[in-house]
Amino acid sequence: MAEHPTGIPIQLEPLVVRVLAPNPSPFTHTGTQTHIVGRTDVAVIDPGPDDPAHIAALLRAIDSRPVTAIVVTHHHRDHSPATRPLQALTGAPIVGAAPFDLDDAGARADASFDSAYAPDRVMVEGDRIEGNGWTLEAIATPGHTSNHLAFALPETGALFSGDHVMGWSTTIVSPPDGNMTAYMASLEKLMGRDDRVYYPGHGEAIEKPQRLVRGMLGHRKQREGQILRLIRESARSIPAMVERMYAGLDPRLVPAAERSVLAHLYDLQTRGLVIEEGEAWQTTT
């Protein structure tokens, strides 16, 4: 995405403009992508971090048009904090994912929760917001977070997939708010849809989304099988599994890998395939 620098509006299709925020990291790739939907009036999806340069770039892209809604897919700090300054500047309501306050002492592997996120309207499956020539329909996709939403644009067949499906990497599923069982069910839900293209929160547009989602389901199932094999081979602690599964991993990403393995273990435990014994895990068969 070097040809798409931060702060520069990129027209993805007649109804959709993308603006990249200046917050690259091992967890956000090149940064958070804010999408602006509409021609005469607009919705702003995932306005991103509260960064003055990014807010200024969004205002330039909005170009004095009325903002019908500020839309949020989920409550992570790289997606929702800019709702507040953008609302102060435009008067638009904040809508989308439910607020959530999680008291979790576990290691954080991705952007932390935005505790100040406060939507004016919480959207659930099938809820819609509309503007002149555009509609956004909420699709409940929990897994990455418990309140994650994707948004379909039926006029063009596009889906704004947030962090549930990204264009550069698989998403982090970090318990207890992240849930692998819910994540897999949400992928299956997307497999049953016929969206033409996904515009993710990070990474390039996904032109063949069904193929990617099918691959993501297969990847997670392979990880599950790998975890079961490692437990049977005596790698029964999460650090031991991660060391075997992610050879050569950037040390900054080890906590993310550990949380992902934990999410898989909880899913396997729910299905009666493993049990927890202190800091070790055992298979039940």
Side-chain angles (χ1 to χ4, degrees):
M1 294 181 60
E3 70 274 20
H4 302 324
T6 59
I8 305 299
I10 304 297
Q11 193 86 41
L12 300 179
E13 57 178 85
L15 278 177
V16 181
V17 166
R18 177 179 69 196
V19 181
L20 179 65
N23 62 331
S25 79
F27 303 106
T28 62
H29 191 41
T30 55
T32 303
Q33 296 177 153
T34 300
H35 293 95
I36 299 172
V37 177
R39 293 188 181 93
T40 59
D41 64 307
V42 301
V44 180
I45 301 175
D46 283 348
D50 185 358
D51 179 279
H54 185 55
I55 300 298
L58 293 180
L59 291 176
R60 290 193 298 270
I62 293 166
D63 193 23
S64 300
R65 291 174 291 177
V67 179
T68 299
I70 303 166
V71 184
V72 176
T73 62
H74 65 296
H75 59 299
H76 275 163
R77 197 171 57 192
D78 59 325
H79 285 257
S80 59
T83 55
R84 297 179 284 281
L86 192 60
Q87 182 178 60
L89 291 164
T90 66
I94 300 167
V95 306
F100 195 77
D101 182 18
L102 180 69
D103 181 14
D104 172 24
R108 280 286 164 219
D110 58 341
S112 62
F113 294 105
D114 175 13
S115 60
Y117 168 64
D120 299 297
R121 174 190 171 193
V122 173
M123 298 180 70
V124 298
E125 177 80 20
D127 282 353
R128 292 186 167 205
I129 54 173
E130 297 179 347
N132 184 14
W134 58 266
T135 308
L136 290 175
E137 179 180 351
I139 311 297
T141 49
H144 175 61
T145 60
S146 60
N147 63 354
H148 195 285
L149 297 172
F151 290 91
L153 179 63
E155 286 82 0
T156 74
L159 182 87
F160 299 91
S161 59
D163 280 7
H164 187 69
V165 178
M166 299 189 292
W168 72 289
S169 174
T170 55
T171 193
I172 295 167
V173 180
S174 178
D177 188 44
N179 183 288
M180 188 62 70
T181 306
Y183 173 77
M184 295 291 280
S186 294
L187 287 178
E188 293 283 2
K189 176 192 282 190
L190 294 186
M191 277 295 296
R193 296 177 54 84
D194 61 353
D195 303 291
R196 174 183 59 85
V197 63
Y198 290 178
Y199 296 129
H202 308 276
E204 288 290 1
I206 300 160
E207 301 290 347
K208 296 181 179 178
Q210 305 307 320
R211 185 170 72 179
L212 178 63
V213 172
R214 188 179 300 110
M216 292 172 68
L217 282 164
H219 169 74
R220 293 293 185 175
K221 289 173 182 176
Q222 287 176 347
R223 284 293 191 207
E224 175 184 296
Q226 189 178 19
I227 288 168
L228 290 171
R229 287 193 301 273
L230 287 172
I231 293 174
R232 294 186 184 111
E233 293 170 5
S234 80
R236 298 192 178 103
S237 71
I238 290 175
M241 293 182 217
V242 168
E243 184 177 2
R244 297 273 298 275
M245 293 169 66
Y246 297 90
L249 182 67
D250 183 334
R252 293 173 296 177
L253 299 179
V254 168
E258 290 180 344
R259 300 298 281 188
S260 180
V261 170
L262 179 62
H264 274 293
L265 288 165
Y266 283 164
D267 180 48
L268 292 166
Q269 185 180 46
T270 298
R271 291 151 55 194
L273 298 175
V274 300
I275 57 174
E276 187 175 7
E277 297 180 347
E279 296 184 359
W281 292 82
Q282 299 279 357
T283 59
T284 58
T285 56

